[in-house]
Amino acid sequence: MGRRRAPELYRAPFPLYALQVDPSAGLLIAAGGGGAAKTGIKNGVHFLQLEQINGRLSASLLHSHDTEARATMNLALAGNILAAGQDAHCQLLRFKTHQQKGKNKAEKAGSKEQGPWQRKGAAPAEKKSGAETHQEGVELSVENLQAVQTDFSADPLQKVVCFNHDNTLLATGGTDGYVRVWKVPTLEKVLEFKAHEGEIEDLALGPDGKLVTVGWDLNASVWQKDQLVTQLHWQENGPTFSNTPYRYQACRFGQVPDQPAGLRLFTVQIPHKRLRQPQPCYLTAWDGSTFLPLQTKSCGHEVISCLSVSESGTFLGLGTVTGSVAIYIAFSLQRLYYVREAHGIVVTDVAFLPEKGRGPELLGSHETALFSVAVDSRCQLHLLPSRRTVPVWLLLLLCVGLIVMSILLLQSAFPGFL
């Protein structure tokens, strides 16, 4: 049997590092680049139009935004505003879409706005843009807003960016170990504090204003503004190890399905050092109020590189440094979907198709869709088929059928039974 493959949705002309999905316009936003080195590799943010064509989810390039000498390493989305981590800075971008008549997608894909490099060799998704059936399309424009330096270490790099629940504040973390919180869209700094000794690997903002940070110092901390609330201790009720130090790689808040006020925190723990004998990585679910661990399960020996939680909190998406992609159910931490080495190189980001806006329309008959990007410049699609349940009426019909069969069998064995 051949190796399971995931559909390639899009291929960019540069390494991809960050991914976001805009549900209102049905946009997939992928970003990356070759950085400041003069290698000839571009830096940009690509806006892809998601569509259902002949029952299949497809993506076509709608707009390419050139970020000049700055590769985008991380993204956060708030409405039509993107926060892009570019080296030591955070750049805000505002994008707008509007209908344009008389110009098809193929013409827009080759316009001067997109850059001459695209006309020399279009990526696969660009070639099948559906121009023959879409004479009236969507046009997108991007405006650079404020930019600010967010990291001040000797080798500065913003590693993570996150909006709060109402998109009025933006939190950033990087290699200097400081959390900085900024007003949106002015990027006026309102808070700054040292959260970790060494790099901040990830952070997450809860709806109640609490902030969770994880770092290379092996700590995971919960903050209320700049005050430490508690430290996370995942091994207290989970597996124990003698000489294997673990660090937290990722943290994400998620809703509790069917509980509007319920909140969970999910973290990934990976071995802090590479060992000759690979050690397992772990997923942990935490109570979002008490921050006590609810359950911990192994998620295999491949080192996890990124984590995403679906909008409803039902599913978790994981990418690994060896290119594999998996989908877990959040309630039980059970794996439902797995493609080994889908990318063949480190998966840099994963994102679910949201369940609002155009999400249900684009999802079709599938239960969820996960997008993944990697350094191999590819964006892949991972679809989870609906887990069909047996309808109640069918169960009743089967029960009636079994009863009738039992009666007939008894009548044949004992003619005077009824």
Side-chain angles (χ1 to χ4, degrees), residues 126-385:
E126 297 170 59
K127 292 180 180 179
K128 56 181 180 181
S129 61
E132 67 278 2
T133 58
H134 292 81
Q135 296 299 318
E136 182 177 338
V138 177
E139 189 177 60
L140 185 142
S141 60
V142 180
E143 173 188 5
N144 287 326
L145 300 178
Q146 299 293 327
V148 66
Q149 185 170 351
T150 59
D151 195 81
F152 295 88
S153 64
D155 189 15
L157 177 67
Q158 177 184 299
K159 300 194 70 174
V160 59
V161 60
C162 180
F163 286 98
N164 68 340
H165 71 287
D166 61 1
N167 301 327
T168 58
L169 297 174
L170 185 71
T172 61
T175 56
D176 65 2
Y178 278 82
V179 169
R180 296 177 175 90
V181 181
W182 317 82
K183 286 186 179 179
V184 178
T186 62
L187 291 186
E188 174 190 348
K189 186 165 61 179
V190 296
L191 186 64
E192 177 181 49
F193 63 94
K194 181 79 168 179
H196 293 273
E197 295 299 328
E199 300 182 13
I200 292 176
E201 189 64 35
D202 202 5
L203 59 82
L205 277 165
D208 59 354
K210 288 193 173 63
L211 172 70
V212 178
T213 62
V214 300
W216 277 63
D217 57 4
L218 312 187
N219 291 325
S221 306
V222 182
W223 307 87
Q224 188 73 56
K225 294 187 176 180
D226 58 351
Q227 298 300 306
L228 181 64
V229 176
T230 186
Q231 300 275 7
L232 301 185
H233 301 284
W234 71 282
Q235 290 178 316
E236 286 187 354
N237 298 313
T240 57
F241 308 93
S242 56
N243 299 312
T244 306
Y246 275 71
R247 68 176 175 85
Y248 296 85
Q249 170 67 13
C251 57
R252 289 288 184 276
F253 280 106
Q255 295 181 0
V256 180
D258 303 322
Q259 295 183 27
L263 190 66
R264 292 284 184 269
L265 175 71
F266 299 94
T267 61
V268 168
Q269 294 83 240
I270 67 173
H272 184 53
K273 294 181 179 180
R274 297 287 181 91
L275 302 175
R276 180 174 298 179
Q277 182 67 32
Q279 299 296 310
C281 297
Y282 290 91
L283 267 172
T284 300
W286 309 77
D287 184 284
S289 300
T290 63
F291 294 100
L292 295 174
L294 300 174
Q295 60 178 324
T296 292
K297 286 194 176 182
S298 169
C299 49
H301 288 75
E302 296 177 84
V303 178
I304 305 301
S305 56
C306 51
L307 165 70
S308 179
V309 183
S310 67
E311 187 177 40
S312 64
T314 305
F315 301 106
L316 308 177
L318 296 179
T320 75
V321 298
T322 48
S324 302
V325 176
I327 299 175
Y328 286 71
I329 189 164
F331 173 75
S332 62
L333 303 184
Q334 174 189 356
R335 192 170 75 183
L336 303 176
Y337 171 99
Y338 173 75
V339 179
R340 181 172 177 264
E341 296 179 6
H343 288 273
I345 197 169
V346 60
V347 178
T348 47
D349 205 359
V350 289
F352 282 98
L353 180 68
E355 292 138 11
K356 62 184 178 184
R358 294 192 59 209
E361 166 200 339
L362 295 168
L363 189 59
S365 60
H366 295 89
E367 191 159 0
T368 192
L370 180 71
F371 305 99
S372 63
V373 292
V375 182
D376 62 6
S377 306
R378 294 185 297 159
C379 176
Q380 291 189 338
L381 172 64
H382 308 272
L383 293 168
L384 183 66

Side-chain angles (χ1 to χ4, degrees), residues 18-60:
L19 191 62
Q20 288 289 321
V21 186
D22 173 24
S24 59
L27 294 176
L28 183 64
I29 306 167
K38 296 181 179 180
T39 59
I41 300 176
K42 297 286 185 176
N43 300 292
V45 180
H46 281 192
F47 295 81
L48 310 173
Q49 185 70 66
L50 293 171
E51 295 175 293
Q52 274 280 352
I53 299 179
N54 298 325
R56 297 181 63 182
L57 186 60
S58 66
S60 57

Side-chain angles (χ1 to χ4, degrees), residues 80-117:
N80 68 336
I81 293 181
L82 276 172
Q86 299 171 349
D87 299 327
H89 294 78
C90 185
Q91 170 75 62
L92 292 187
L93 305 171
R94 178 186 287 131
F95 61 92
K96 295 180 181 179
T97 59
H98 60 273
Q99 294 291 326
Q100 184 187 45
K101 296 183 179 180
K103 203 172 194 180
N104 60 36
K105 288 185 179 181
E107 290 171 336
K108 287 186 286 180
S111 66
K112 292 182 179 179
E113 179 185 54
Q114 311 272 327
W117 51 271

